[in-house]
Amino acid sequence: MAERRLHKVLSAVVKIKPGEEVLAILVFFYFFLITAPFGIVKSLRDANFLDDLKAENLPYAYLSAILIAVAVSFHAKLQSRFSRRRLLLSSLVFFILTSLLFWALFSMPDHWKGLALIYWMWANLFVVALTTQFWFLVNDVFNPREAKRLIGFFGSGGILGGIAGNLLLGFLAKPETSHRLLLASTAFLCTCLVVVSLIFSWLKANEDRYAAAPDRDPKAGRKEPRRVGLGDSFRSVRSDAYLRLMAWVVLATGIVSTFIDWQSKSLIELSPAAKANYASFFGRFNAGILVFAFLFQLILTSRFINRFGIRTGLLIYPVIILLCSVGIGVLPTLGFAIALKGSDKALSYSINQSSRELLYIPVLPEMKYRAKVFIDMFLNRFSKAVGGVILLGLIYLAQRRPFAAIGFEPIVWVSFASGAFVLVWIVLNAKISRAYVREVKGQLAKKWERADGVVADRMDVDTAKLVVDAIETRTQSSTLFALHLYDLARQNKLTPEIRDLLGLKPADAPASAARPLFEYDAAPWVPDLDERLPPAEMDKEIREILALGDYQKVMGEYAGKVLEDKDAKSETARMELAKAIGLMDGRSALADKLDDLLGDDSAKVFQYGAESAGKLKKKAHVPLLARKLGDPRTREDARSALERYRGAIAGALSDYLNDVDEKPEIREQAASLLAGIADQEAADALLEALGRGQDVLKNGLIDALDRIRAEVPEVQFKDEVVRAQFAAEMGIIGPAKSPSDLLPLFKLLGLAYDHEDIFRAYQNLLKGTKDSIAYAIELLDHTVSQDIKERLFPLLESFSGRRGGDSKG
């Protein structure tokens, strides 16, 4: 009952699912309890530095970030030796003790001025270590869809914590005793110890749902401990194109953020109101920024990312910073400094942080840990050092000719440089967002292949059929057997393996002069076949003989006799005649005899007649073949013959398809044959029939269109017809019991979007695990339009709660 009430309350502000309430609340407060003390620590860092060392020395403070590498390397080694729970709790204890130490040192009268620089470095380590560990936990536990839904809520907890810490400092800090607020930060961290312990206890109790729970010994199941030192982390990032791109994004972001920090503090230092009590000023200023960030994060971030995607989420931050940088370059005032710094931090803590963390979701766990050590813990700080070096260079150049002669202050030159780096940042963000989609695809290895495509690619069906026919007729008719061998020989398919299968000796010819062509009354003879000739020359010689006038005359007389006698005894003769006609020229008068053979009541006679009709490809035979599509005994042979016509009969097949008075079986076969033609005309005919609301043929038409899309990606489909059909299908689909019920919908989507991506997603929906469904929806989120998402996603997400979760490792 309590969980229901909690769910009702939370669902008003976040898209939360039943069963997620407790964990979501705990993670929310975990982030709150590490950002609240950091709000105090950071504002005191800035205040102490401006009081003791002044803004002119800030670039040297940024350079000190290089020393963070040592701490990061040490932290990486600890990560390889301790479980996630032990590492998190130990880190909290470390910062509790060191916070108390700095409180004691700052309490000393006339403390050493250089302490402000040491405290600066400690404060940076504080935020890097604790926030990175927090996001490690989020990435461990939540899949992409869960993270997208909940990340705004979690981020709000962090921002709210920052507000609380900064407000405490803003209202309670006094110029001489502001360091006492470090005791408050210690109290927050002690409470955080309790919350982290509760999180891991909850995860352990719910291992069936959160199988990726990160409270495990990193050495378990391995003969050697995992190496995740700073050097190993760097090599992992360097070896992966996606992670390299992410590293460049973080580097550009850090450089721009350093420029902004220096510009704003330089102007704030000139303000008498701020100078009177830096700690109180920074506390209130940062609290104000975070109030906006909190509202944005809680109300808009998840909705914004869900609606517009990661790409827009990554681009909005640098675009706004670019506008503010131009503003401060034109008018370097305190107002613009506050606007610039406010935009930087408000968007950095909300949409940019959330979007950037989502970029890690598709990275494999082993690579993710290494990458975050280098990118988030080291490079994020190292970028400040790079920014500091560039700042020193810009300040130096601004004071030297010819730049000094222009009359711009260093802060203006820094604005110009900041704008240039922001443009680079925007380009990198656009690239990383595209790369993110590729990484999600990489998590969804495509295994879906149409069965008809597999058969067509891997089997020579015509040759197999010819061999089977030869085997069947060996004892029935030596003439048919000889004709089959000739057919195989002229196609160069009479291989040693097939000869063995047919029981031929090496010296045997496909046919011989002593074997009659027809074993019915007085028949012509098969010409001698010389296997020493190449198949093309042998075929040419035989066709020349068959085309001789005398031969055609004798064959014509013989055919007349065979067709007059329709009793069972003459069935073999009719089969032989039907087979032989296919070896002749289509202009031969004997080709007209096929009409009678295609109408023969014998399915075997029709088989050979259809085979010959497919070889001659005369349009006059199409209606006769089409009628046989309605008879199960002759359907496959009629199909095989019509398939040989290819696009020449697309119009005729379209007429059969749209003739509502025609047998449904014939119309279905017409749709399938059009799919085999697989050209633009065939696709247009099928889509037109689908648009007419052919309910009886609907599934067959959708399947035929999908077959064309899979085999010939360049064929185009009218988007409005596909979307209308998709909407109609959504309207009648009802509650789906499993993802397989949605196959027609996915086939329709495959006509409008990348076919391979759509079926990567479908295959993972079929897998049915929580994470596979989440990754499938994530890929679709970057593939289909917003109106389709709104209709389809609620249906897909309903499947994720029906089966147990799986490990993402």
Side-chain angles (χ1 to χ4, degrees):
M1 192 69 178
E3 283 194 358
R4 287 184 184 176
R5 287 197 296 269
L6 182 59
H7 180 268
K8 186 175 181 180
V9 171
L10 291 177
S11 60
V13 292
V14 63
K15 197 174 180 181
I16 195 165
K17 291 187 175 181
E20 296 176 337
E21 303 87 355
V22 174
L23 182 60
I25 287 290
L26 288 172
V27 174
F28 175 92
F29 279 108
Y30 173 22
F31 205 17
F32 175 94
L33 291 167
I34 59 174
T35 56
F38 179 66
I40 297 171
V41 167
K42 181 185 174 184
S43 293
L44 284 174
R45 179 200 70 180
D46 296 340
N48 288 335
F49 197 93
L50 291 184
D51 272 329
D52 294 344
L53 299 174
K54 310 303 177 186
E56 62 188 24
N57 291 310
L58 276 171
Y60 300 103
Y62 303 141
L63 282 172
S64 69
I66 296 175
L67 299 176
I68 294 292
V70 178
V72 169
S73 181
F74 179 70
H75 182 276
K77 293 182 185 302
L78 292 178
Q79 180 176 283
S80 68
R81 297 180 181 178
F82 298 107
S83 67
R84 178 79 65 232
R85 180 177 183 273
R86 188 176 178 186
L87 182 61
L88 264 61
L89 294 176
S90 299
S91 298
L92 289 169
V93 171
F94 170 78
F95 284 109
I96 288 170
L97 296 176
T98 48
S99 181
L100 291 173
L101 177 61
F102 276 108
W103 165 74
L105 292 174
F106 279 117
S107 296
M108 295 179 180
D110 300 322
H111 62 265
W112 177 46
K113 299 294 184 182
L115 184 61
L117 181 59
I118 297 174
Y119 180 74
W120 179 286
M121 291 187 285
W122 174 84
N124 288 340
L125 180 61
F126 182 106
V127 67
V128 168
L130 295 188
T131 56
T132 301
Q133 288 173 358
F134 170 80
W135 290 113
F136 267 147
L137 183 73
V138 171
N139 277 279
D140 277 338
V141 174
F142 299 100
N143 63 45
R145 298 306 298 172
E146 292 168 334
K148 269 194 171 183
R149 284 188 293 102
L150 300 173
I151 202 165
F153 181 63
F154 299 154
S156 297
I159 296 171
L160 200 58
I163 293 172
N166 278 291
L167 283 178
L168 275 176
L169 190 69
F171 286 105
L172 299 180
K174 304 299 179 186
E176 301 299 326
T177 59
S178 57
H179 61 276
R180 293 178 181 174
L181 271 298
L182 284 172
L183 296 175
S185 71
T186 302
F188 282 119
L189 292 175
C190 289
T191 309
C192 190
L193 280 171
V194 177
V195 172
V196 170
S197 297
L198 290 173
I199 288 174
F200 283 100
S201 296
W202 193 93
L203 287 172
K204 187 174 182 180
N206 291 270
E207 283 181 336
D208 57 331
R209 181 172 183 182
Y210 291 90
D215 186 19
R216 55 177 180 259
D217 186 345
K219 299 180 183 179
R222 291 195 301 269
K223 294 180 180 179
E224 296 180 2
R226 181 177 56 190
R227 295 176 64 226
V228 286
L230 184 60
D232 302 298
S233 299
F234 168 70
R235 284 187 287 273
S236 295
V237 172
R238 186 180 60 181
S239 66
D240 187 277
Y242 179 68
L243 295 176
R244 284 201 306 273
L245 191 54
M246 195 183 300
W248 282 112
V249 169
V250 170
L251 183 62
T253 306
I255 291 172
V256 172
S257 183
T258 303
F259 291 168
I260 291 171
D261 190 68
W262 179 81
Q263 288 174 301
S264 62
K265 287 186 172 67
S266 296
L267 292 172
I268 288 170
E269 189 180 41
L270 302 176
S271 169
K275 191 177 293 186
N277 189 346
Y278 279 129
S280 179
F281 173 83
F282 280 118
R284 297 183 188 212
F285 173 66
N286 290 331
I289 292 172
L290 292 173
V291 166
F292 171 78
F294 169 73
L295 294 174
F296 193 98
Q297 182 81 355
L298 183 63
I299 299 172
L300 295 177
T301 294
S302 291
R303 291 180 173 88
F304 187 94
I305 292 175
N306 276 318
R307 183 171 181 81
F308 299 107
I310 286 178
R311 178 177 299 181
T312 307
L314 289 170
L315 290 178
I316 190 171
Y317 176 31
V319 167
I320 291 176
I321 292 301
L322 178 62
L323 296 175
C324 291
S325 293
V326 172
I328 204 170
V330 174
L331 192 63
T333 63
L334 181 63
F336 260 118
I338 291 174
L340 180 62
K341 185 67 175 177
S343 300
D344 175 39
K345 291 307 173 187
L347 294 173
S348 174
Y349 290 148
S350 56
I351 194 167
N352 188 68
Q353 178 69 35
S354 298
S355 298
R356 200 170 82 187
E357 288 302 326
L358 287 173
L359 294 176
Y360 281 109
I361 295 293
V363 180
L364 294 175
E366 181 76 11
M367 289 291 286
K368 184 188 304 178
Y369 300 141
R370 293 171 181 264
K372 287 184 80 68
V373 166
F374 178 75
I375 295 175
D376 288 2
M377 298 187 71
F378 171 72
L379 191 60
N380 191 34
R381 291 293 114 188
F382 180 75
S383 64
K384 306 291 184 183
V386 175
V389 171
I390 297 173
L391 269 174
L392 288 172
L394 289 171
I395 294 169
Y396 175 81
L397 291 174
Q399 297 169 349
R400 298 293 185 275
R401 293 182 178 180
F403 299 101
I406 299 176
F408 289 161
E409 293 292 326
I411 198 168
V412 177
W413 287 110
V414 172
S415 289
F416 294 155
S418 179
F421 274 99
V422 169
L423 291 176
V424 174
W425 180 16
I426 289 173
V427 172
L428 290 171
N429 274 352
K431 288 185 175 182
I432 193 68
S433 61
R434 291 193 293 271
Y436 170 79
V437 178
R438 291 196 296 271
E439 288 297 307
V440 171
K441 291 180 187 179
Q443 293 284 346
L444 309 177
K446 183 175 180 283
K447 298 177 183 176
W448 174 272
E449 292 183 88
R450 289 186 58 95
D452 44 21
V454 173
V455 170
D457 290 342
R458 301 180 185 177
M459 290 184 63
D460 188 343
V461 178
D462 290 337
T463 299
K465 185 173 181 295
L466 196 53
V467 171
V468 171
D469 288 343
I471 293 172
E472 288 181 348
T473 58
R474 179 162 191 165
T475 57
Q476 179 185 4
S477 166
S478 59
T479 299
L480 276 177
F481 183 68
L483 290 172
H484 290 319
L485 293 182
Y486 165 58
D487 226 351
L488 286 167
R490 74 189 184 90
Q491 296 177 45
N492 203 24
K493 296 292 179 64
L494 195 57
T495 63
E497 293 80 8
I498 291 179
R499 293 180 67 92
D500 291 342
L501 182 65
L502 296 175
L504 296 176
K505 296 179 181 178
D508 288 345
S512 70
R515 182 179 295 127
L517 177 59
F518 299 106
E519 296 177 347
Y520 181 77
D521 204 359
W525 299 87
V526 173
D528 287 338
L529 303 180
D530 188 350
E531 285 193 288
R532 292 172 297 179
L533 291 174
E537 291 186 28
M538 180 182 67
D539 185 44
K540 181 182 177 183
E541 285 192 8
I542 291 182
R543 285 186 178 277
E544 287 176 354
I545 294 171
L546 294 176
L548 292 173
D550 290 342
Y551 191 86
Q552 286 286 315
K553 181 179 178 181
V554 173
M555 284 287 291
E557 292 173 356
Y558 180 77
K561 293 179 182 179
V562 170
L563 293 174
E564 285 177 5
D565 188 359
K566 293 292 184 73
D567 60 17
K569 179 181 177 183
S570 69
E571 181 184 43
T572 300
R574 298 198 305 277
M575 291 164 60
E576 295 166 346
L577 177 62
K579 176 78 177 180
I581 290 175
L583 304 178
M584 300 176 184
D585 191 291
R587 292 168 294 183
S588 168
L590 280 172
D592 295 335
K593 303 294 183 182
L594 264 185
D595 290 0
D596 291 328
L597 294 167
L598 290 173
D600 201 291
D601 292 334
S602 168
K604 295 298 292 184
V605 173
F606 176 78
Q607 173 190 336
Y608 291 108
E611 180 186 315
S612 294
K615 291 176 180 177
L616 300 178
K617 300 184 182 68
K618 297 186 73 172
K619 287 192 175 181
H621 296 144
V622 172
L624 297 170
L625 292 167
R627 279 191 172 76
K628 294 291 185 175
L629 291 171
D631 186 344
R633 298 178 306 150
T634 56
R635 180 173 299 147
E636 289 305 314
D637 295 316
R639 271 188 62 91
S640 297
L642 289 169
E643 283 171 350
R644 289 175 173 265
Y645 284 80
R646 301 296 300 167
I649 59 170
L653 292 173
S654 179
D655 291 339
Y656 282 110
L657 175 63
N658 291 303
D659 186 354
V660 294
D661 295 326
E662 190 59 81
K663 291 181 179 179
E665 296 86 354
I666 294 178
R667 297 175 68 198
E668 288 174 1
Q669 291 299 316
S672 180
L673 287 163
L674 283 168
I677 294 171
D679 62 10
Q680 190 64 58
E681 183 182 0
D684 290 343
L686 289 166
L687 195 60
E688 181 183 354
L690 183 65
R692 289 177 178 172
Q694 307 270 16
D695 290 342
V696 176
L697 304 177
K698 182 181 67 175
N699 288 337
L701 290 170
I702 292 174
D703 185 69
L705 289 164
D706 177 68
R707 179 180 168 189
I708 293 177
R709 179 65 163 165
E711 294 177 0
V712 191
E714 58 269 21
V715 170
Q716 300 296 310
F717 301 89
K718 292 181 181 178
D719 191 65
E720 63 273 14
V721 178
V722 174
R723 287 178 175 274
Q725 190 61 39
F726 178 85
E729 193 71 13
M730 282 294 300
I732 63 173
I733 197 166
K737 295 179 181 179
S738 72
S740 60
D741 295 336
L742 306 182
L743 181 57
L745 284 176
F746 276 83
K747 287 181 177 179
L748 287 168
L749 288 177
L751 304 180
Y753 300 98
D754 186 281
H755 189 270
E756 184 170 320
D757 287 351
I758 294 298
F759 279 94
R760 281 178 189 269
Y762 178 70
Q763 138 203 321
N764 277 267
L765 286 171
L766 290 179
K767 188 177 178 183
T769 62
K770 185 182 69 170
D771 282 348
S772 69
I773 291 173
Y775 275 104
I777 299 174
E778 181 69 7
L779 177 55
L780 291 173
D781 193 22
H782 292 270
T783 304
V784 303
S785 62
Q786 184 62 32
D787 59 317
I788 290 177
K789 293 180 198 176
E790 291 173 354
R791 304 187 69 162
L792 182 63
F793 281 16
L795 185 60
L796 301 184
E797 287 175 339
S798 69
F799 295 123
S800 63
R802 300 183 187 179
R803 302 187 189 183
D806 65 334
S807 173
K808 293 187 290 184

